[in-house]
Amino acid sequence: MNIVLTGSLGNIGKPLTETLVNNGHAVTVISSNAKRQKNIELLGAKAAIGKLQDVDFLTETFKGADIVYLMETMEAAGDMFDKSVDFIGDITKIGENYKEAVERSGVKKVIHLSSIGAHTNKGIGIIRFHHNVETTLRQLPVDVSIKFIRPVSFYLNLFSFIHVIKSKGSIISNYGGDVKEPWVSPKDIAAVIAEEVDKQFEGKTIRYVASEEVSPNEIAETLGEAIGKPDLKWVVIPSQQLLDNWLSIGFNEQVAKGFVELQESQGNGTLYEDYHQHKPSLGKVKLKDFAEDFALAYGNTAGQ
């Protein structure tokens, strides 16, 4: 099949491109970075260089595709330290661009990488744009089939704790404890998407993706062992203190407040309400596997 992928060669895009090409599909990868063209072509795919904000570019690129894979990231909107960016508004607009381009190009099969929490627009903080984009795409005509893929929290997000571990000696957040929550590897997400490519498309469907369910305290223990700090603790501080910390280092206010609210929803469990009603089979990559990558990154990061 002819498949068009957004997301360039990111953590999901690269393994997904490799898998689809190996499975015999003709793959076009959209990237905003012209420097990625050579790497895309080396994987056996075609590069389409342009921006997600350009509806005409998207429409032209989508034409003739059997399936388009749509995803949106905060990086597509701007830098999280740029205080002028409206991330939720700008990414919601990308979703509107996707809808228009799908309609104009005549594509009938869509896979959309959404997120845990997309079932609601209440109390989920910065990731509300995923709900907005899902809502927009659901307005496509009934003859357009969409598979909404909802991954849970990425293991990769744990890399953000490296600096605070080095400077404070612990993981610090506004929630924690022994309640297990789901985490996922991009490799398992890519595997699920590749699997869905070859399955039947019918209507608008939802599939969650998770690799393992572990608690914050288990995360601290596993990562601590990997980096040679077996006594590493996950420390909980008040939300206001965490917000003040993030604003003090220059975070965009929408981003800082949005992540604080998101993590509150992780702590009180509201983020996972719909997930628990539609639990998936867990993937292959476990926290201990990721911990090896974490340890490498930790060792290569300057700090105390």
Side-chain angles (χ1 to χ4, degrees), residues 222-223 225-227 286-296:
T222 300
L223 297 185
E225 289 176 356
I227 62 175
K286 304 306 177 184
L287 178 64
K288 284 192 174 182
D289 301 317
F290 168 75
E292 297 176 9
D293 296 331
F294 187 90
L296 284 174

Side-chain angles (χ1 to χ4, degrees), residues 114-128:
S114 184
S115 171
I116 184 86
H119 67 288
T120 182
N121 62 354
K122 306 295 184 184
I124 56 171
I126 195 64
I127 64 170
R128 191 169 81 244

Side-chain angles (χ1 to χ4, degrees), residues 172-176 235-247 256-268:
I172 299 175
S173 185
N174 60 335
Y175 83 102
V235 177
V236 179
I237 63 174
S239 290
Q240 187 61 50
Q241 184 179 342
L242 184 63
L243 176 61
D244 291 342
N245 290 348
W246 284 347
L247 291 175
K257 289 181 176 179
F259 274 119
V260 167
E261 183 177 82
L262 174 62
Q263 291 177 187
E264 286 175 344
S265 74
Q266 289 179 262
N268 62 34

